[in-house]
Amino acid sequence: MTTTHNLGYPRIGGRRELKFALEALWNGTSSEQVLQETAGGLRAQNWQEQAGLSLAPVGDFSLYDQVLDMSATLGNLPERANTREGSALDAYFRVARGRSPNDTACCSVHAGEMTKWFDTNYHYIVPEFNADTSFSLNADRILAQLAEARAQGINAKPVIIGPVTYLWLGKAKDESDRLQLLSKLLPVYSELLTKLAEAGAEWVQIDEPALVTELDADWKHAFILAYHELKTAPVKLLLTTYFGELRENLQLACELPVAGIHLDTISAGNEVARLADWLPPHKVLSLGVINGRNIWKTDLNATLDLLVPLKEKLGERLWLAPSCSLLHVPVDLESETTLDSEIRNWLAFARQKLHELNTLAKALDEGRESVAEELAANQNAIDSRRQSSRVHNPSVAKALKAVTPEHGQRKSPFSTRARLQQERLQLPAYPTTTIGSFPQTPEIRQVRKDFRQGNLSEQDYTARVHEEIAFCVAQQEALGLDVLVHGEAERNDMVEYFGEQLEGYVFSRFGWVQSYGSRCVKPPILFGDITRPRAMTVDWIKYAQSLTDKPLKGMLTGPVTILNWSFVRDDQPRKDTCLQLALAVREEVLDLEKAGVGIIQIDEAALREGLPLRQSDWNTYLDWAIEAFRISANGVRDVTQIHTHMCYSEFNDIIGAIARMDADVITIETSRSAMELLDAFRGFEYPNDIGPGVYDIHSPNIPQVEQVTNLMEQAAKRIPAERLWVNPDCGLKTRRWEEVVPALEAMVAAARELRAQS
Ligand code: GLN
Ligand code: ZN
């Protein structure tokens, strides 16, 4: 029998039960006990869903984050969390969020740093180290889950993060070499593995996705050291990699003394044959053949064509699984009762993916006839998607073919454009602006909801949004800002808003995916060729412009960000999808220009997120991503000013690509780094205008005038003052008007002071 297993299951719940239980505890309306009951219920349900597998994961369930869980298991929660009162769970949440439900303001500590889990949209809490970090085992959580699963009749396979990847994910707070901690860490892992074996585990899934990244000699050596020490543990280890190719680490991975290895064949399909050849004959090869990162049905027949010869070769040594944890996909397609039925038939969420896995295994073991019906239905769905005229639109293919480099090229160099734009816009020195959104009040959210649910007519809806825009414009005029925005009151989300208006997108109702802790995102589903049936923003922007003599900045989301925050097609390269989005955004840009809008901002908040895991692949991505942006933006006349915005603070390694975008103005997040990040721009001699954010919109603190002038003086040491703008770090939608008004007052006052001084 072919062994089937799963690497991890979504824990948030099909109706986000965990989210609501967590938030109830945090806001004091519930108890730890209620949370634990909800969590136990979700685990039981998840195992039930996975009961058909040979092995189901245990320990993948987390109340907040699996990396933080691993830190807790290894006795490596930061000291600052433990010295307070309360339960172990209090300490755990304190690291996650800076405070626990029972803490008063005085007791809060700073939260652990959060960062992206490899190239996914999931964020983990970064383990903290220093030279004298020590570890001690606290296996209660995982042992309890193991006992729980076994009591429910589940053939359980504990899941842990491997020692090398654990160190790799963390940060040394004192700049010490965290690899030095390996020798202290390994005995704790040995102890953990022994305990798991004693508790009945035969296999342990030990995740080492660091193996798909570029490793220097020390890190490679760490793998050898670690697994030679762990090989005496009384369990079988399944060394698990995902999210990429092993490449130069393939041989290393094959040679480690473990009982089996898991490969993500969705992203490393070309390595299957080599691995099957090289792997010593006593080792299991687990192939991740079902995509754990997207929502499409697997082509089961095509997958079987690949698997059948491997099965002949490997026999019982061949295991099947999803490519990675299913954490990155929504729970259950069955809930999507209102989704377009044609498209729904092409999709599979976590539950459906496990079903596919069982079908594949059965076909391998008992022949395709044994699952003839499932295979036929799957083939129908695959064919329907492949042939659908809703996916393939010849006019889009034609438009794509007609794209030339000229499409991405401004007519004149920046210096010429800047002069023409200044003649038109007549802006003062240190022009002030904002990033686009203004506070999203409960009232305006309700207006959108009422309209969506059909309780508000289109006419009334427009009138209410106009009211909001008028209020927003009046506020900005009163504040004395130089470049105004309409405020984005009509937008629920910067990607969804555009997806909803483009052909080629559908939206799920419950397609939530955990982003961090209790936070989830519901990525729109890009299924087909992208077209823009009508203008998406022009009426709102035109209305806003009609209310003021000041220049008004039109606001769009860029193609790369739309791509990176959506579930996208797997039947063509991401690059092609991005280019289609770029053409749609370009049409919108040109329509805005035609409507007389003199400044257009194209946000690329997620450009950096799309960077591949290996630096050697970066240029390929940046080449097409930047080209897509250029095509979306650069069809305008010289007098039209293009802005872009990016809300992160790492530019050093991509500054060349950022410069190639050739936006007239870029606004970025800088306030927390005291303008130091502008060094990257100075070092590169970045040629165009820059708006370094002068206050952190994530914090309710209201900046003082002096703080802003100080920051701008720091900025002016790095970038010539005539190329500087003054603006917040990011959009203001999460703030309240009571915070925004004084903050912007300070910002405008600071700009005036700077002008007076210069
Ligand atoms: N224009 C968007 C806003 O202001 C930008 C958001 C973002 O960068 N994440 O909300
Ligand atoms: Zn931003």
Side-chain angles (χ1 to χ4, degrees):
M1 283 259 297
T2 303
T3 298
T4 53
H5 71 116
N6 184 24
L7 275 54
Y9 201 76
R11 54 224 180 193
I12 202 75
R15 291 289 188 278
R16 289 181 292 163
E17 292 88 341
L18 182 60
K19 172 193 176 70
F20 299 119
L22 282 168
E23 289 172 0
L25 174 69
W26 295 338
N27 67 29
T29 57
S30 172
S31 65
E32 222 175 285
Q33 192 194 339
V34 173
L35 171 67
Q36 295 294 9
E37 277 163 18
T38 307
L42 284 166
R43 282 195 295 271
Q45 203 179 323
N46 289 356
W47 286 322
Q48 215 44 56
E49 295 297 340
Q50 302 177 86
L53 302 173
S54 319
L55 292 166
V58 159
D60 58 322
F61 187 93
S62 175
L63 289 176
Y64 200 95
D65 166 39
Q66 73 270 14
V67 180
L68 185 59
D69 286 352
M70 201 65 216
S71 291
T73 303
L74 298 168
N76 187 39
L77 292 185
E79 203 64 44
R80 63 179 184 275
N82 293 325
T83 51
R84 318 280 158 151
E85 319 209 316
S87 65
L89 194 62
D90 279 328
Y92 176 87
F93 285 137
R94 224 170 263 132
V95 188
R97 317 175 56 238
R99 63 193 179 283
S100 79
N102 301 317
D103 287 348
T104 46
C106 74
C107 297
S108 58
V109 296
H110 68 268
E113 190 187 325
M114 207 164 53
T115 195
K116 269 162 60 79
W117 175 245
F118 295 87
D119 59 350
T120 72
N121 230 329
Y122 177 80
H123 301 75
Y124 70 92
I125 306 283
V126 178
E128 297 177 22
F129 304 120
N130 54 55
D132 38 53
T133 294
S134 60
F135 303 97
S136 62
L137 185 64
N138 182 352
D140 294 355
R141 189 194 64 93
I142 192 161
L143 289 174
Q145 288 188 22
L146 179 55
E148 212 177 296
R150 286 167 59 87
Q152 291 168 29
I154 296 300
N155 207 356
K157 172 197 58 176
V159 177
I160 59 175
I161 295 167
V164 184
T165 294
Y166 179 72
L167 290 175
W168 188 89
L169 292 168
K171 247 192 192 163
K173 292 282 156 180
D174 59 355
E175 307 284 306
S176 62
D177 175 9
R178 60 200 195 279
L179 263 185
Q180 296 298 324
L181 299 173
L182 187 64
S183 57
K184 287 199 265 179
L185 187 56
L186 291 174
V188 183
Y189 268 87
S190 292
E191 203 186 327
L192 172 61
L193 293 174
T194 305
K195 284 237 158 86
L196 292 171
E198 285 166 4
E202 183 192 356
W203 281 89
V204 171
Q205 171 186 324
I206 192 155
D207 287 5
E208 291 284 10
L211 279 167
V212 308
T213 67
E214 283 145 342
L215 299 171
D216 67 22
D218 288 343
W219 283 94
K220 285 187 191 158
H221 187 63
F223 273 103
I224 297 171
L225 274 180
Y227 285 87
H228 279 271
E229 181 152 342
L230 297 183
K231 77 174 173 207
T232 53
V235 280
K236 295 179 184 157
L237 294 181
L238 183 70
L239 182 81
T240 303
T241 70
Y242 37 80
F243 300 151
E245 295 169 345
L246 290 164
R247 295 193 200 171
E248 71 284 358
N249 302 328
L250 187 134
Q251 187 173 356
L252 168 70
C254 283
E255 287 171 0
L256 294 176
V258 290
I261 178 166
H262 172 86
L263 183 78
D264 170 349
T265 75
I266 302 299
S267 56
N270 57 323
E271 294 182 335
V272 176
R274 254 165 84 210
L275 214 58
D277 284 344
W278 284 20
L279 207 63
H282 59 275
K283 285 189 192 174
V284 156
L285 177 57
S286 162
L287 295 183
V289 290
I290 308 244
N291 196 328
R293 297 278 296 269
N294 79 16
I295 39 63
W296 304 109
K297 272 185 180 159
T298 309
D299 183 340
L300 295 179
N301 278 310
T303 308
L304 282 169
D305 292 344
L306 293 169
L307 287 175
V308 168
L310 287 163
K311 177 76 187 170
E312 269 166 30
K313 181 172 175 149
L314 298 166
E316 297 290 289
R317 288 170 56 214
L318 176 68
W319 288 20
L320 295 185
S323 60
C324 59
S325 167
L326 297 176
L327 178 67
H328 311 289
V329 293
V331 178
D332 189 3
L333 186 65
E334 290 290 311
S335 310
E336 301 298 330
T337 49
T338 54
L339 201 61
D340 178 301
S341 63
E342 183 184 2
I343 290 159
R344 187 175 181 274
N345 187 36
W346 304 337
L347 304 178
F349 292 177
R351 243 185 104 187
Q352 289 69 38
K353 283 174 186 280
L354 291 182
H355 190 76
E356 292 183 339
L357 190 61
N358 284 328
T359 307
L360 285 174
K362 191 151 188 230
L364 278 188
D365 292 337
E366 298 169 31
R368 296 193 200 206
E369 325 74 68
S370 68
V371 283
E373 231 170 86
E374 275 103 326
L375 290 182
N378 175 267
Q379 193 62 54
N380 272 336
I382 300 294
D383 292 343
S384 137
R385 182 175 164 217
R386 201 169 281 151
Q387 290 150 12
S388 171
S389 61
R390 296 176 65 189
V391 175
H392 308 282
N393 180 339
S395 72
V396 175
K398 208 170 132 203
L400 233 56
K401 271 220 187 83
V403 173
T404 64
E406 281 74 66
H407 282 81
Q409 186 62 50
R410 291 295 293 262
K411 289 165 191 67
S412 306
F414 173 73
S415 53
T416 311
R417 286 165 5 221
R419 188 170 38 78
L420 294 168
Q421 289 161 16
Q422 181 55 16
E423 276 167 22
R424 175 185 189 180
L425 299 168
Q426 300 286 326
L427 294 168
Y430 294 103
T432 54
T433 190
T434 59
I435 306 305
S437 60
F438 269 84
Q440 293 247 330
T441 58
E443 293 75 29
I444 195 67
R445 286 176 202 276
Q446 190 62 41
V447 167
R448 282 203 311 265
K449 193 167 167 198
D450 286 345
F451 177 53
R452 205 175 263 267
Q453 294 177 342
N455 301 328
L456 199 64
S457 70
E458 168 131 33
Q459 203 181 356
D460 290 344
Y461 172 70
T462 306
R464 289 301 315 276
V465 175
H466 278 179
E467 246 174 67
E468 190 69 21
I469 291 175
F471 175 76
C472 188
V473 169
Q475 291 287 320
Q476 295 173 78
E477 286 204 313
L479 283 161
L481 286 156
D482 300 306
V483 169
L484 313 194
V485 295
H486 79 297
E488 302 182 25
E490 78 287 10
R491 300 186 192 173
N492 36 353
D493 172 276
M494 65 187 285
V495 169
E496 195 170 42
Y497 178 77
F498 291 93
E500 277 174 347
Q501 301 189 72
L502 292 168
E503 253 355 292
Y505 262 108
V506 284
F507 297 83
S508 65
R509 272 182 73 197
F510 301 103
W512 298 99
V513 178
Q514 197 174 8
S515 171
Y516 65 91
S518 68
R519 293 295 192 96
C520 300
V521 294
K522 187 155 65 66
I525 297 170
L526 190 162
F527 69 88
D529 285 344
I530 292 293
T531 53
R532 189 199 66 141
R534 63 194 71 83
M536 303 182 281
T537 62
V538 176
D539 286 346
W540 301 127
I541 311 283
K542 244 167 62 179
Y543 176 73
Q545 181 68 85
S546 76
L547 302 171
T548 177
D549 295 330
K550 292 261 177 92
L552 194 114
K553 177 163 72 167
M555 199 56 57
L556 303 174
T557 302
V560 187
T561 297
I562 299 181
L563 180 89
N564 285 339
W565 284 347
S566 302
F567 280 122
V568 298
R569 315 167 52 163
D570 59 352
D571 59 347
Q572 67 181 20
R574 290 173 77 79
K575 167 185 174 190
D576 296 1
T577 306
C578 195
L579 200 55
Q580 293 186 4
L581 290 164
L583 289 178
V585 175
R586 178 185 175 93
E587 288 175 19
E588 187 72 15
V589 167
L590 296 179
D591 276 353
L592 283 170
E593 181 178 57
K594 222 180 287 162
V597 180
I599 308 182
I600 301 165
Q601 177 171 313
I602 306 169
D603 290 327
E604 284 292 17
L607 183 108
R608 203 192 151 84
E609 282 191 31
L611 283 173
L613 283 175
R614 289 173 188 261
Q615 203 144 5
S616 57
D617 297 335
W618 281 19
N619 281 343
T620 314
Y621 163 75
L622 287 171
D623 281 352
W624 61 253
I626 299 304
E627 189 57 17
F629 177 87
R630 288 169 55 98
I631 286 164
S632 73
N634 291 351
V636 294
R637 294 178 298 145
D638 286 341
V639 284
T640 301
Q641 188 169 72
I642 296 289
H643 289 214
T644 190
H645 164 70
M646 291 173 198
C647 35
Y648 38 79
S649 45
E650 279 173 83
F651 286 93
N652 264 314
D653 43 9
I654 54 168
I655 186 73
I658 301 291
R660 270 189 284 142
M661 292 165 77
D662 200 18
D664 297 301
V665 183
I666 182 172
T667 55
I668 53 178
E669 173 188 320
T670 30
S671 67
R672 278 181 292 185
S673 69
M675 300 288 155
E676 273 172 24
L677 108 90
L678 286 178
D679 288 338
F681 288 80
R682 176 174 58 177
F684 187 79
E685 298 184 22
Y686 181 84
N688 303 3
D689 282 11
I690 307 179
V694 291
Y695 87 90
D696 177 12
I697 59 93
H698 300 100
S699 141
N701 299 340
I702 290 156
Q704 303 293 305
V705 179
E706 213 198 328
Q707 252 170 289
V708 177
T709 44
N710 279 343
L711 279 170
M712 288 308 296
E713 280 158 9
Q714 290 304 315
K717 286 186 191 150
R718 295 165 164 99
I719 307 290
E722 60 276 14
R723 290 203 278 111
L724 284 173
W725 287 60
V726 185
N727 46 263
D729 268 348
C730 193
L732 302 166
K733 64 171 164 253
T734 57
R735 300 258 64 96
R736 293 175 303 131
W737 279 105
E738 302 88 270
E739 297 161 337
V740 161
V741 169
L744 292 179
E745 268 168 3
M747 190 182 92
V748 171
R752 289 189 177 141
E753 242 173 63
L754 291 163
R755 280 169 211 157
Q757 284 163 21
S758 60

